[in-house]
Amino acid sequence: MDNINILGIESSCDDTSAAIIQNGIMLSNVIASQSVHTFYGGVVPELASRAHQQHIIPVVHQALKNAGIDKSNLSAIGYTRGPGLLGSLLVGSSFAKGLSQSLSVPLIDVNHLQAHVLAHFISEGNPDEKHPPFPFLCLLVSGGNSQIILVRRYDDMQIIGQTIDDAAGEAFDKCAKVMGLPYPGGPHVDKLAKAGNPTTFTFSKPQTSGYDYSFSGLKTSFLYLVRDEMKKNDRFIIDNLHHLCASLQHTVIEILMAKLRKASDDFAIKHIAVAGGVSANSALRRAFHEHREKHDWQTYIPPISFTTDNAAMIAMTAYLKYRHNRFGALTDTPFVRVNNTF
Ligand code: KG4
């Protein structure tokens, strides 16, 4: 049987990435991150689109080279159709369309959220890899998303809960900014929290219904505490940096895990996965391990390189769609907001 070689292209936010999956096994995964946004304390959409334009061709060349595959041997091109930043998505989708036309191979549109979930099925060819069985729950937490997804099959997913305002990563980043930490603040909070007491400060927790999240109240209560305390002591942040980070992190993780526990109980599902950039957080990983012991969960935490935005997960999703003859059309346009079409 001929090899199925899929090129995946990811350009939904501020990472330009290309990857090759051959018969479900990852051969390469190249990521060009954009440092240009650091100065602005957040992603600037216009600059992101321009950086994608600069990076996309070299990144695709490198992915092919690292995989040892010639472009004439590609079976299909998968690309991120959405959700994401429109200008960024347009760069990847237009490039993918042009390449698929020039090579006369099918085009496969990929939902970025579905791909985060299916990152759990990327194989690196190791026999001891552990992939979740269906059905499972996936907590997707990143700079733009906070969702609980019920995954019944590779193409049957239901978002049962999501944030009604800020995403978890956004809460980390915005509170980090209040403390004067560099963007993105999440990893800095994680590091500084290690030497802090998580119960020194308490912040408000949301009263959202069902499995939905909310982080804007926490962000505001964090901001007010810092503002009020700084009036009394202008060294408050410096004196309490570790405790502030530990208390913030503790609250975010408690909010995330409470809804996930509820979903696990209500749906009687014990296979629980995590995806997205925030899953790099050490306290969240610890919470997953604790739940494995206390609540008899089977947990699935992918390598960090597959939790942040990457094209391997796009290529993997495209590979599964390819095997089910599910192809995209040249008239498909990017979508910006979360939708339930997988
Ligand atoms: O999935 P991702 O790479 O892309 C976007 O959604 O943009 O996630 C990035 C987010 C940022 O908000 C970042 O602060 C957060 O993930 N993050 C973390 C950690 N590492 C990355 N948050 C908390 N702790 C971490 N160790």
Side-chain angles (χ1 to χ4, degrees), residues 172-224:
F172 274 120
D173 296 342
K174 286 180 176 169
C175 293
K177 200 171 174 183
V178 170
M179 293 183 281
L181 300 175
Y183 175 84
H188 297 281
V189 172
D190 190 355
K191 212 164 151 197
L192 290 161
K194 291 191 197 316
N197 178 350
T199 56
T200 304
F201 303 107
T202 46
F203 303 111
S204 74
K205 286 196 192 148
Q207 304 292 327
T208 44
S209 64
Y211 313 105
D212 281 345
Y213 288 119
S214 165
F215 290 99
S216 74
L218 163 64
K219 180 189 67 187
T220 309
S221 97
F222 186 89
L223 181 68
Y224 285 179

Side-chain angles (χ1 to χ4, degrees), residues 77-94:
I77 319 284
Y79 73 97
T80 307
R81 185 174 174 193
L85 301 171
L86 182 63
S88 293
L89 291 165
L90 280 168
V91 176
S93 62
S94 302

Side-chain angles (χ1 to χ4, degrees), residues 257-292:
M257 296 310 287
K259 294 283 179 169
L260 196 53
R261 257 191 325 268
K262 177 173 163 52
S264 164
D265 291 346
D266 292 353
F267 288 88
I269 294 177
K270 297 263 183 201
H271 292 279
I272 317 286
V274 64
V278 179
S279 57
N281 184 269
S282 57
L284 181 60
R285 287 176 171 245
R286 217 168 29 247
F288 261 66
H289 289 304
E290 282 164 14
H291 279 66
R292 202 168 56 194

Side-chain angles (χ1 to χ4, degrees), residues 13-15 43 112 116 141-145 168-173 183-191 249 275-282 307-309:
C13 189
D14 61 342
D15 292 301
V43 177
H112 184 82
H116 266 301
V141 269
S142 69
N145 297 288
E170 222 174 334
F172 274 120
D173 296 342
Y183 175 84
H188 297 281
V189 172
D190 190 355
K191 212 164 151 197
Q249 180 171 274
V278 179
S279 57
N281 184 269
S282 57
T307 63
T308 51
D309 287 349

Side-chain angles (χ1 to χ4, degrees), residues 160-172:
I160 56 170
Q162 62 184 320
T163 181
I164 57 167
D165 40 55
D166 291 347
E170 222 174 334
F172 274 120

